[in-house]
Amino acid sequence: MKAWTGPELSPWPWMILMRPDPTAETAWFVEQNFMDWWIHGNAVSVVTSRSESGWPMTMAWVPAPRVAVTEEPESGAPIYWIDGVQVDSRDVIHVRRGANRWNTLIGVGVVEQHLAALGKVADQQAYEARVLDTSAVPSVAIVVPNSELSQEEADAAKQSWVEKYGGPKREPAVLPNGTEIVKLAWSPADQELSEARKLSRVDVANMFNLDGFWLGAESKGLTYRSPGPMFLMLIRQTLGLMIAQFEQAWGTAWLPPGTDLRFDRQAILGDDMSTTITFLSQAVNTGLMSVNEGREYLGKSPIAGGDEFRNPVITQSMTSGQSQGGQNDE
């Protein structure tokens, strides 16, 4: 996370952006808030210390299930309760996903929004576990041509088959003339379990507005795509709204007016080195970036003179008898 004032990085040492919670890693702090936003529809963090000027210095993430929100009767302002204890609402930073139609002070998580579809996935998993645990079928059925075969003889033949072919060795089978070996499989309904699992992955991907590729579901047309465009599409379709909400909510609460908070998306948008170098070379040669800006893009230290922009106009040496317009002087 970085602070920007207009098109330039803010020079102020915003320590809260480097480590909002000093007791945990920044990636962990952001991840827990993002997960609560998706699953529960509400991401809540609390200010634990402030500077002398009143700006937050450190934060602490609070799991959404521990937070309750009620409405102040007169003003309609939210009142926050953590583990049943009221806290100062000025110290609470609350990022909502959508709005609950019965209580607009809280958001709506994916679980609540798609409860029926997730219930279907849970039922499929329970049925599959029950089938695998209690509905096993034998691998083969042996049909003998003896119509007068007794149960004792059948049991003895079964035991002999298991002793020969149930272990790690595969011995040759010698069977009476007319014996049939019939392979057995799942019922037609049980055979569709794998297909149902694939469709469930697609359903879950749709809940999160994801391409099924990211969850292992079948997805056509993404085999030969490079990571850069794929992650760009992921941010545009799936993560864009969430990132924008956190940037606005945290930036408004953490930073003074005129300074914006932005997540560094380059970490996941970066392409392979060859493609990146080609892009940076073109950007520098056309004057879009300076050499040092290109080096910063790669995480390299600046060099002397690298801040100068190149002239995108290609100039050539001119003879004494030719003017800039390309005509001879008279």
Side-chain angles (χ1 to χ4, degrees), residues 225-314:
R225 294 289 298 275
S226 58
M230 291 181 64
F231 280 116
L232 178 60
M233 190 62 64
L234 178 66
I235 289 180
R236 286 178 175 176
Q237 291 186 345
T238 306
L239 304 179
L241 175 61
M242 177 181 63
I243 293 176
Q245 283 196 253
F246 276 91
E247 286 176 338
Q248 294 176 11
W250 286 357
T252 302
W254 295 358
L255 308 176
T259 304
D260 300 324
L261 182 149
R262 300 179 195 171
F263 283 93
D264 185 7
R265 297 164 172 79
Q266 184 54 39
I268 60 176
L269 291 180
D271 232 318
D272 60 274
M273 183 60 70
S274 176
T275 303
T276 302
I277 292 297
T278 301
F279 156 71
L280 293 177
S281 299
Q282 294 176 350
V284 171
N285 291 334
T286 57
L288 180 64
M289 301 174 65
S290 67
V291 173
N292 279 343
E293 286 176 335
R295 292 180 62 85
E296 181 183 0
Y297 188 94
L298 295 173
K300 305 294 184 180
S301 58
I303 59 176
D307 292 322
E308 298 179 0
F309 285 89
R310 295 188 177 185
N311 188 350
V313 179
I314 300 177

Coordinates of all heavy atoms in Angstrom, one line a residue, residues 225-314:
R225 N -2.5 -18.5 -22.4 CA -2.5 -17.1 -22.0 C -1.4 -16.8 -21.0 O -1.1 -17.6 -20.1 CB -3.8 -16.7 -21.3 CG -5.0 -16.8 -22.2 CD -5.0 -15.6 -23.2 NE -5.1 -14.3 -22.5 CZ -6.2 -13.8 -22.2 NH1 -7.4 -14.4 -22.4 NH2 -6.2 -12.6 -21.6
S226 N -0.7 -15.7 -21.1 CA 0.4 -15.3 -20.2 C -0.2 -14.8 -18.9 O -1.4 -14.4 -18.9 CB 1.3 -14.3 -20.9 OG 0.5 -13.1 -21.2
P227 N 0.5 -14.8 -17.8 CA 0.0 -14.5 -16.5 C -0.5 -13.0 -16.4 O -1.4 -12.7 -15.8 CB 1.1 -14.8 -15.6 CG 2.4 -14.8 -16.4 CD 1.9 -15.3 -17.7
G228 N 0.3 -12.1 -17.1 CA -0.1 -10.7 -17.0 C -1.5 -10.4 -17.4 O -2.3 -9.9 -16.6
P229 N -2.0 -10.7 -18.7 CA -3.4 -10.5 -19.1 C -4.4 -11.2 -18.2 O -5.5 -10.7 -18.0 CB -3.4 -11.0 -20.5 CG -2.0 -10.9 -21.0 CD -1.1 -11.2 -19.8
M230 N -4.0 -12.4 -17.7 CA -5.0 -13.2 -16.9 C -5.2 -12.5 -15.6 O -6.3 -12.4 -15.1 CB -4.4 -14.6 -16.7 CG -4.5 -15.5 -17.9 SD -3.9 -17.1 -17.7 CE -5.1 -17.7 -16.5
F231 N -4.1 -12.0 -14.9 CA -4.3 -11.3 -13.7 C -5.0 -10.0 -13.9 O -5.7 -9.5 -13.0 CB -2.9 -11.1 -13.0 CG -2.5 -12.4 -12.3 CD1 -1.3 -13.0 -12.6 CD2 -3.2 -12.9 -11.2 CE1 -0.9 -14.2 -12.0 CE2 -2.8 -14.0 -10.5 CZ -1.6 -14.7 -10.9
L232 N -4.7 -9.3 -15.0 CA -5.4 -8.1 -15.3 C -6.9 -8.3 -15.4 O -7.7 -7.5 -14.8 CB -4.9 -7.5 -16.6 CG -5.5 -6.2 -17.1 CD1 -5.3 -5.1 -16.0 CD2 -4.9 -5.7 -18.4
M233 N -7.3 -9.4 -16.1 CA -8.7 -9.7 -16.1 C -9.3 -10.0 -14.8 O -10.4 -9.7 -14.4 CB -9.0 -10.8 -17.1 CG -10.4 -11.1 -17.5 SD -11.2 -9.6 -18.3 CE -10.2 -9.6 -19.8
L234 N -8.5 -10.7 -13.9 CA -8.9 -11.1 -12.6 C -9.2 -9.8 -11.8 O -10.2 -9.7 -11.0 CB -7.8 -11.9 -11.9 CG -8.1 -12.3 -10.5 CD1 -9.3 -13.2 -10.4 CD2 -6.9 -13.0 -9.8
I235 N -8.3 -8.8 -11.9 CA -8.5 -7.6 -11.1 C -9.7 -6.8 -11.7 O -10.5 -6.3 -10.9 CB -7.2 -6.7 -11.2 CG1 -6.1 -7.3 -10.4 CG2 -7.5 -5.3 -10.7 CD1 -4.8 -6.6 -10.4
R236 N -9.9 -6.8 -13.0 CA -11.0 -6.0 -13.5 C -12.3 -6.6 -13.2 O -13.3 -5.9 -12.9 CB -10.8 -5.9 -15.1 CG -9.7 -5.0 -15.5 CD -9.6 -5.0 -17.0 NE -8.6 -4.0 -17.5 CZ -8.3 -3.9 -18.8 NH1 -8.8 -4.7 -19.7 NH2 -7.4 -3.0 -19.1
Q237 N -12.4 -7.9 -13.2 CA -13.7 -8.6 -13.1 C -14.0 -8.9 -11.6 O -15.2 -8.9 -11.2 CB -13.8 -9.8 -13.9 CG -13.8 -9.6 -15.4 CD -14.0 -10.8 -16.2 OE1 -13.9 -11.9 -15.7 NE2 -14.4 -10.7 -17.5
T238 N -13.0 -9.3 -10.9 CA -13.3 -9.9 -9.5 C -12.8 -9.0 -8.4 O -13.6 -8.7 -7.5 CB -12.6 -11.3 -9.4 OG1 -13.0 -12.1 -10.5 CG2 -12.9 -11.9 -8.1
L239 N -11.6 -8.6 -8.5 CA -11.0 -7.9 -7.3 C -11.1 -6.4 -7.4 O -10.9 -5.7 -6.4 CB -9.5 -8.2 -7.2 CG -9.1 -9.7 -7.1 CD1 -7.6 -9.9 -7.1 CD2 -9.8 -10.3 -5.9
G240 N -11.5 -5.8 -8.6 CA -11.5 -4.4 -8.7 C -12.4 -3.7 -7.8 O -12.0 -2.7 -7.1
L241 N -13.6 -4.1 -7.6 CA -14.6 -3.5 -6.7 C -14.1 -3.5 -5.3 O -14.2 -2.6 -4.5 CB -16.0 -4.1 -6.9 CG -17.0 -3.6 -5.9 CD1 -17.3 -2.1 -6.1 CD2 -18.3 -4.4 -6.1
M242 N -13.6 -4.7 -4.9 CA -13.2 -4.9 -3.5 C -12.0 -4.0 -3.2 O -11.9 -3.3 -2.2 CB -12.8 -6.3 -3.3 CG -12.3 -6.6 -1.9 SD -11.8 -8.3 -1.6 CE -10.5 -8.5 -2.9
I243 N -11.0 -4.0 -4.1 CA -9.8 -3.2 -3.9 C -10.2 -1.7 -3.8 O -9.7 -0.9 -3.0 CB -8.8 -3.4 -5.0 CG1 -8.2 -4.9 -4.9 CG2 -7.6 -2.4 -4.9 CD1 -7.3 -5.2 -6.0
A244 N -11.1 -1.2 -4.7 CA -11.5 0.2 -4.7 C -12.2 0.5 -3.4 O -11.9 1.6 -2.9 CB -12.4 0.4 -5.9
Q245 N -13.0 -0.3 -2.9 CA -13.7 0.0 -1.6 C -12.7 0.1 -0.5 O -12.8 1.0 0.4 CB -14.7 -1.1 -1.3 CG -16.0 -1.0 -2.1 CD -17.1 -1.8 -1.6 OE1 -17.5 -2.8 -2.1 NE2 -17.7 -1.3 -0.5
F246 N -11.8 -0.8 -0.4 CA -10.8 -0.7 0.7 C -9.9 0.5 0.6 O -9.5 1.1 1.6 CB -10.0 -2.0 0.8 CG -10.6 -3.1 1.5 CD1 -11.5 -4.0 0.9 CD2 -10.5 -3.3 2.9 CE1 -12.1 -5.1 1.6 CE2 -11.1 -4.3 3.6 CZ -11.9 -5.2 2.9
E247 N -9.5 0.8 -0.7 CA -8.7 2.0 -0.9 C -9.4 3.2 -0.4 O -8.8 4.1 0.3 CB -8.3 2.1 -2.4 CG -7.3 1.1 -2.8 CD -7.0 1.2 -4.3 OE1 -7.9 1.7 -5.0 OE2 -5.9 0.7 -4.8
Q248 N -10.7 3.4 -0.7 CA -11.4 4.5 -0.3 C -11.7 4.6 1.2 O -11.5 5.6 1.8 CB -12.7 4.6 -1.1 CG -12.6 4.8 -2.6 CD -13.9 4.8 -3.3 OE1 -14.9 4.8 -2.7 NE2 -13.8 4.7 -4.7
A249 N -12.1 3.4 1.7 CA -12.4 3.4 3.2 C -11.2 3.6 4.0 O -11.2 4.4 5.0 CB -13.1 2.1 3.5
W250 N -10.1 2.8 3.8 CA -8.9 3.0 4.6 C -8.2 4.3 4.3 O -7.7 4.9 5.2 CB -8.0 1.8 4.3 CG -8.4 0.5 4.9 CD1 -9.5 0.3 5.7 CD2 -7.8 -0.8 4.7 NE1 -9.6 -1.0 6.0 CE2 -8.6 -1.7 5.4 CE3 -6.7 -1.2 4.0 CZ2 -8.3 -3.1 5.5 CZ3 -6.4 -2.6 4.1 CH2 -7.2 -3.5 4.8
G251 N -8.2 4.7 3.0 CA -7.5 6.0 2.7 C -8.2 7.2 3.4 O -7.5 8.1 3.9
T252 N -9.5 7.2 3.4 CA -10.2 8.3 4.1 C -10.0 8.3 5.6 O -9.9 9.4 6.2 CB -11.8 8.2 3.8 OG1 -12.0 8.2 2.4 CG2 -12.5 9.3 4.5
A253 N -9.9 7.1 6.2 CA -9.7 7.0 7.6 C -8.2 7.2 8.1 O -8.0 7.7 9.2 CB -10.2 5.7 8.2
W254 N -7.3 6.8 7.2 CA -5.9 6.8 7.6 C -5.1 8.0 7.2 O -4.2 8.4 7.9 CB -5.2 5.6 7.0 CG -5.6 4.3 7.5 CD1 -6.6 4.0 8.5 CD2 -5.2 3.0 7.1 NE1 -6.8 2.7 8.7 CE2 -5.9 2.0 7.8 CE3 -4.3 2.5 6.1 CZ2 -5.7 0.6 7.6 CZ3 -4.1 1.2 6.0 CH2 -4.8 0.2 6.7
L255 N -5.5 8.6 6.1 CA -4.7 9.7 5.5 C -5.5 11.0 5.4 O -6.7 11.0 5.4 CB -4.3 9.3 4.0 CG -3.7 7.9 3.9 CD1 -3.4 7.6 2.4 CD2 -2.4 7.8 4.7
P256 N -4.8 12.1 5.4 CA -5.4 13.4 5.3 C -6.0 13.7 4.0 O -5.7 13.0 3.0 CB -4.3 14.4 5.6 CG -3.1 13.7 5.2 CD -3.3 12.3 5.5
P257 N -6.9 14.7 3.9 CA -7.6 15.0 2.6 C -6.5 15.3 1.5 O -5.5 16.0 1.8 CB -8.5 16.2 2.9 CG -8.8 16.0 4.4 CD -7.5 15.5 5.0
G258 N -6.8 14.9 0.3 CA -5.8 15.2 -0.8 C -4.8 14.1 -1.0 O -4.1 14.1 -2.0
T259 N -4.8 13.1 -0.1 CA -3.8 12.0 -0.2 C -4.7 10.7 -0.3 O -5.6 10.4 0.4 CB -2.9 11.9 1.1 OG1 -2.3 13.1 1.2 CG2 -1.9 10.8 0.9
D260 N -4.3 9.9 -1.3 CA -5.1 8.7 -1.6 C -4.2 7.5 -1.3 O -3.0 7.5 -1.4 CB -5.5 8.7 -3.1 CG -6.3 9.8 -3.5 OD1 -7.2 10.2 -2.7 OD2 -6.2 10.3 -4.7
L261 N -4.9 6.4 -0.9 CA -4.3 5.1 -0.7 C -4.5 4.3 -1.9 O -5.6 4.2 -2.4 CB -4.9 4.5 0.6 CG -4.3 3.1 1.0 CD1 -4.3 3.0 2.5 CD2 -5.0 2.0 0.3
R262 N -3.4 3.6 -2.3 CA -3.5 2.7 -3.5 C -2.7 1.4 -3.2 O -1.6 1.5 -2.7 CB -3.0 3.4 -4.7 CG -3.7 4.7 -5.1 CD -3.1 5.3 -6.4 NE -3.5 6.6 -6.6 CZ -3.0 7.4 -7.5 NH1 -2.0 7.0 -8.3 NH2 -3.4 8.7 -7.6
F263 N -3.3 0.3 -3.6 CA -2.6 -0.9 -3.5 C -1.7 -1.1 -4.7 O -2.0 -0.6 -5.8 CB -3.6 -2.1 -3.5 CG -4.3 -2.3 -2.1 CD1 -5.5 -1.7 -1.9 CD2 -3.7 -3.1 -1.2 CE1 -6.1 -1.9 -0.7 CE2 -4.3 -3.3 0.1 CZ -5.5 -2.7 0.3
D264 N -0.5 -1.7 -4.5 CA 0.4 -1.9 -5.5 C 0.0 -3.2 -6.3 O 0.2 -4.3 -5.8 CB 1.8 -2.1 -5.0 CG 2.9 -2.2 -6.1 OD1 2.5 -2.0 -7.3 OD2 4.0 -2.5 -5.8
R265 N -0.6 -3.0 -7.5 CA -1.0 -4.1 -8.3 C 0.0 -4.7 -9.1 O -0.2 -5.8 -9.7 CB -2.2 -3.7 -9.2 CG -3.4 -3.2 -8.4 CD -4.4 -2.4 -9.3 NE -5.6 -2.1 -8.6 CZ -5.8 -1.1 -7.8 NH1 -4.8 -0.3 -7.4 NH2 -7.0 -0.8 -7.3
Q266 N 1.2 -4.1 -9.2 CA 2.2 -4.5 -10.1 C 2.8 -5.9 -9.7 O 3.2 -6.7 -10.5 CB 3.4 -3.5 -10.2 CG 4.5 -3.9 -11.1 CD 3.9 -4.1 -12.5 OE1 3.0 -3.4 -13.0 NE2 4.5 -5.1 -13.2
A267 N 2.7 -6.2 -8.4 CA 3.2 -7.5 -8.0 C 2.5 -8.7 -8.6 O 3.1 -9.7 -8.8 CB 3.0 -7.6 -6.4
I268 N 1.2 -8.6 -9.0 CA 0.6 -9.7 -9.7 C 0.3 -9.4 -11.2 O 0.0 -10.3 -11.9 CB -0.8 -9.9 -9.0 CG1 -1.7 -8.7 -9.1 CG2 -0.6 -10.4 -7.6 CD1 -3.1 -8.9 -8.5
L269 N 0.5 -8.2 -11.6 CA 0.3 -7.9 -13.0 C 1.6 -8.1 -13.8 O 1.6 -8.1 -15.1 CB -0.1 -6.4 -13.2 CG -1.6 -6.1 -12.7 CD1 -1.9 -4.7 -13.0 CD2 -2.6 -7.0 -13.4
G270 N 2.8 -8.2 -13.2 CA 4.0 -8.3 -13.9 C 4.1 -9.5 -14.8 O 3.7 -10.6 -14.5
D271 N 4.5 -9.3 -16.0 CA 4.6 -10.4 -17.0 C 6.0 -11.0 -16.9 O 6.8 -10.7 -16.0 CB 4.4 -9.8 -18.4 CG 3.3 -10.6 -19.2 OD1 3.4 -11.8 -19.1 OD2 2.5 -10.0 -19.8
D272 N 6.3 -11.9 -17.8 CA 7.7 -12.5 -17.8 C 8.7 -11.4 -18.1 O 8.4 -10.4 -18.7 CB 7.8 -13.6 -18.8 CG 7.4 -13.2 -20.2 OD1 6.3 -13.2 -20.6 OD2 8.4 -12.8 -20.9
M273 N 10.0 -11.7 -17.8 CA 11.0 -10.7 -17.9 C 11.2 -10.2 -19.3 O 11.4 -9.0 -19.6 CB 12.3 -11.2 -17.3 CG 13.5 -10.2 -17.3 SD 13.1 -8.8 -16.3 CE 13.1 -9.5 -14.7
S274 N 11.2 -11.1 -20.3 CA 11.4 -10.7 -21.7 C 10.3 -9.7 -22.1 O 10.6 -8.7 -22.7 CB 11.4 -12.0 -22.6 OG 11.5 -11.6 -23.9
T275 N 9.1 -10.0 -21.8 CA 8.0 -9.2 -22.2 C 8.1 -7.8 -21.5 O 7.8 -6.8 -22.1 CB 6.6 -9.8 -21.9 OG1 6.6 -11.1 -22.6 CG2 5.5 -8.9 -22.4
T276 N 8.4 -7.9 -20.2 CA 8.6 -6.6 -19.4 C 9.7 -5.7 -20.0 O 9.5 -4.5 -20.1 CB 8.8 -7.0 -18.0 OG1 7.8 -7.8 -17.5 CG2 8.9 -5.7 -17.1
I277 N 10.8 -6.3 -20.3 CA 11.9 -5.5 -20.8 C 11.5 -4.9 -22.2 O 11.9 -3.7 -22.4 CB 13.2 -6.4 -21.0 CG1 13.7 -6.8 -19.6 CG2 14.3 -5.6 -21.7 CD1 14.1 -5.7 -18.7
T278 N 10.9 -5.6 -23.0 CA 10.4 -5.1 -24.3 C 9.5 -3.9 -24.1 O 9.6 -2.8 -24.8 CB 9.7 -6.2 -25.1 OG1 10.6 -7.2 -25.3 CG2 9.3 -5.6 -26.5
F279 N 8.5 -4.0 -23.2 CA 7.6 -3.0 -22.9 C 8.3 -1.7 -22.4 O 8.1 -0.6 -22.8 CB 6.5 -3.4 -21.9 CG 5.9 -2.3 -21.1 CD1 5.0 -1.5 -21.7 CD2 6.2 -2.2 -19.8 CE1 4.4 -0.4 -21.0 CE2 5.6 -1.2 -19.0 CZ 4.7 -0.3 -19.6
L280 N 9.2 -1.9 -21.4 CA 10.0 -0.8 -20.8 C 10.8 -0.1 -21.8 O 11.0 1.1 -21.8 CB 10.8 -1.3 -19.6 CG 10.0 -1.8 -18.4 CD1 10.9 -2.3 -17.3 CD2 9.1 -0.6 -17.8
S281 N 11.5 -0.9 -22.7 CA 12.3 -0.3 -23.7 C 11.5 0.7 -24.6 O 11.9 1.8 -25.0 CB 13.0 -1.3 -24.5 OG 13.9 -2.1 -23.7
Q282 N 10.4 0.2 -25.0 CA 9.5 1.0 -25.9 C 9.0 2.2 -25.1 O 8.9 3.3 -25.7 CB 8.3 0.2 -26.4 CG 8.7 -1.0 -27.3 CD 7.5 -1.8 -27.7 OE1 6.4 -1.7 -27.1 NE2 7.7 -2.7 -28.7
A283 N 8.7 2.1 -23.8 CA 8.2 3.2 -23.0 C 9.3 4.3 -22.9 O 9.0 5.5 -22.9 CB 7.7 2.7 -21.7
V284 N 10.5 3.8 -22.7 CA 11.6 4.8 -22.5 C 11.9 5.5 -23.8 O 12.1 6.7 -23.9 CB 12.8 4.1 -21.9 CG1 14.0 5.0 -21.9 CG2 12.5 3.6 -20.5
N285 N 12.0 4.7 -24.9 CA 12.3 5.3 -26.2 C 11.3 6.3 -26.7 O 11.6 7.2 -27.5 CB 12.5 4.1 -27.2 CG 13.8 3.3 -26.9 OD1 14.7 3.8 -26.3 ND2 13.8 2.1 -27.4
T286 N 10.0 6.1 -26.4 CA 9.0 7.0 -26.8 C 8.7 8.1 -25.8 O 7.9 9.0 -26.1 CB 7.7 6.2 -27.0 OG1 7.3 5.6 -25.8 CG2 7.8 5.2 -28.1
G287 N 9.5 8.2 -24.7 CA 9.4 9.3 -23.8 C 8.2 9.1 -22.8 O 7.9 10.0 -22.0
L288 N 7.6 7.9 -22.8 CA 6.5 7.7 -21.8 C 7.1 7.6 -20.4 O 6.4 8.0 -19.4 CB 5.8 6.4 -22.2 CG 4.6 6.0 -21.3 CD1 3.5 7.1 -21.3 CD2 4.0 4.7 -21.8
M289 N 8.3 7.0 -20.3 CA 8.9 6.8 -19.0 C 10.4 7.2 -19.1 O 11.0 7.2 -20.2 CB 8.8 5.3 -18.5 CG 7.4 4.8 -18.4 SD 7.4 3.0 -18.1 CE 8.2 3.0 -16.4
S290 N 10.9 7.6 -17.9 CA 12.4 7.8 -17.9 C 13.1 6.5 -17.6 O 12.4 5.5 -17.2 CB 12.7 8.9 -16.8 OG 12.4 8.3 -15.5
V291 N 14.4 6.5 -17.7 CA 15.1 5.3 -17.4 C 15.0 4.9 -16.0 O 14.8 3.7 -15.7 CB 16.6 5.5 -17.8 CG1 17.5 4.3 -17.3 CG2 16.8 5.7 -19.3
N292 N 15.0 5.8 -15.1 CA 14.9 5.5 -13.7 C 13.5 5.0 -13.3 O 13.3 4.2 -12.4 CB 15.3 6.7 -12.8 CG 16.8 6.9 -12.7 OD1 17.5 5.9 -12.9 ND2 17.2 8.0 -12.3
E293 N 12.5 5.6 -14.0 CA 11.1 5.0 -13.8 C 11.0 3.6 -14.2 O 10.4 2.8 -13.6 CB 10.1 5.9 -14.5 CG 9.9 7.3 -13.9 CD 8.9 8.1 -14.7 OE1 8.8 7.9 -15.9 OE2 8.3 9.0 -14.0
G294 N 11.7 3.3 -15.3 CA 11.7 1.9 -15.8 C 12.5 1.0 -14.8 O 12.1 -0.1 -14.5
R295 N 13.6 1.5 -14.2 CA 14.3 0.7 -13.3 C 13.5 0.6 -12.0 O 13.6 -0.5 -11.3 CB 15.7 1.4 -13.0 CG 16.6 1.4 -14.2 CD 17.9 2.2 -13.8 NE 18.6 1.5 -12.8 CZ 19.5 0.5 -12.9 NH1 19.7 0.0 -14.1 NH2 20.1 -0.1 -11.9
E296 N 12.8 1.6 -11.6 CA 12.0 1.4 -10.4 C 10.9 0.4 -10.6 O 10.5 -0.4 -9.7 CB 11.3 2.8 -10.1 CG 10.4 2.7 -8.8 CD 9.8 4.1 -8.6 OE1 10.0 5.0 -9.3 OE2 9.0 4.2 -7.6
Y297 N 10.4 0.3 -11.9 CA 9.4 -0.7 -12.2 C 9.9 -2.1 -12.0 O 9.2 -3.0 -11.6 CB 9.0 -0.5 -13.7 CG 7.8 -1.3 -14.2 CD1 6.5 -0.8 -14.1 CD2 8.0 -2.6 -14.7 CE1 5.5 -1.6 -14.6 CE2 7.0 -3.4 -15.1 CZ 5.7 -2.9 -15.1 OH 4.6 -3.6 -15.5
L298 N 11.2 -2.3 -12.3 CA 11.9 -3.6 -12.1 C 12.4 -3.8 -10.7 O 13.0 -4.8 -10.4 CB 13.0 -3.7 -13.1 CG 12.7 -3.7 -14.6 CD1 13.9 -3.7 -15.4 CD2 11.8 -5.0 -14.9
G299 N 12.3 -2.8 -9.8 CA 12.8 -2.9 -8.5 C 14.3 -2.6 -8.4 O 15.0 -3.0 -7.4
K300 N 14.9 -1.9 -9.4 CA 16.3 -1.6 -9.4 C 16.5 -0.2 -8.9 O 15.6 0.7 -8.9 CB 16.8 -1.7 -10.8 CG 16.6 -3.0 -11.5 CD 17.3 -4.1 -10.8 CE 17.1 -5.4 -11.6 NZ 17.8 -6.6 -10.9
S301 N 17.7 0.1 -8.4 CA 18.1 1.4 -7.9 C 18.3 2.4 -9.1 O 18.7 2.0 -10.2 CB 19.4 1.3 -7.1 OG 20.5 0.8 -7.9
P302 N 18.1 3.7 -8.8 CA 18.2 4.7 -9.9 C 19.7 4.9 -10.3 O 20.6 4.6 -9.5 CB 17.6 5.9 -9.3 CG 17.7 5.8 -7.8 CD 17.6 4.3 -7.6
I303 N 19.9 5.4 -11.4 CA 21.3 5.7 -11.9 C 21.4 7.2 -12.2 O 20.3 7.9 -12.5 CB 21.7 4.9 -13.1 CG1 20.7 5.2 -14.3 CG2 21.7 3.4 -12.8 CD1 21.0 4.4 -15.6
A304 N 22.6 7.8 -12.3 CA 22.8 9.2 -12.6 C 22.3 9.5 -14.0 O 22.6 8.7 -15.0 CB 24.2 9.5 -12.4
G305 N 21.5 10.5 -14.1 CA 21.0 10.9 -15.4 C 19.8 10.1 -15.9 O 19.3 10.4 -17.0
G306 N 19.3 9.2 -15.1 CA 18.2 8.4 -15.6 C 16.9 9.0 -15.4 O 15.9 8.5 -15.9
D307 N 16.8 10.2 -14.8 CA 15.6 10.9 -14.6 C 15.2 11.8 -15.8 O 14.1 12.4 -15.9 CB 15.6 11.8 -13.4 CG 15.6 10.9 -12.1 OD1 15.0 9.9 -12.1 OD2 16.3 11.3 -11.2
E308 N 16.2 11.9 -16.8 CA 15.9 12.8 -17.9 C 15.1 12.0 -18.9 O 15.3 10.8 -19.2 CB 17.2 13.2 -18.6 CG 18.1 14.0 -17.7 CD 19.4 14.4 -18.3 OE1 19.6 13.9 -19.5 OE2 20.2 15.1 -17.7
F309 N 14.1 12.7 -19.5 CA 13.2 12.0 -20.5 C 13.9 12.2 -21.9 O 14.4 13.2 -22.2 CB 11.8 12.7 -20.5 CG 11.0 12.3 -19.4 CD1 11.0 13.0 -18.2 CD2 10.2 11.2 -19.4 CE1 10.3 12.6 -17.1 CE2 9.4 10.8 -18.4 CZ 9.4 11.5 -17.2
R310 N 13.8 11.1 -22.6 CA 14.3 11.1 -24.0 C 13.4 11.9 -24.9 O 12.2 11.8 -24.7 CB 14.6 9.7 -24.5 CG 15.6 9.0 -23.7 CD 16.0 7.7 -24.3 NE 17.0 7.0 -23.6 CZ 17.6 5.8 -24.1 NH1 17.2 5.3 -25.2 NH2 18.5 5.3 -23.3
N311 N 14.0 12.5 -25.9 CA 13.2 13.2 -26.9 C 12.6 12.1 -27.9 O 13.4 11.4 -28.5 CB 14.0 14.2 -27.7 CG 13.2 15.0 -28.6 OD1 12.0 14.8 -28.8 ND2 13.8 16.1 -29.2
P312 N 11.3 12.0 -27.9 CA 10.7 11.0 -28.8 C 10.9 11.3 -30.3 O 10.7 10.4 -31.2 CB 9.2 11.0 -28.5 CG 9.0 12.4 -27.9 CD 10.2 12.8 -27.3
V313 N 11.3 12.5 -30.7 CA 11.5 12.9 -32.1 C 12.9 12.4 -32.5 O 13.9 12.8 -31.9 CB 11.3 14.4 -32.3 CG1 11.6 14.8 -33.7 CG2 10.0 14.9 -31.8
I314 N 13.0 11.7 -33.6 CA 14.3 11.2 -34.1 C 14.9 12.3 -34.9 O 14.3 12.7 -35.9 CB 14.1 9.9 -34.9 CG1 13.4 8.8 -34.0 CG2 15.4 9.4 -35.4 CD1 13.1 7.5 -34.8

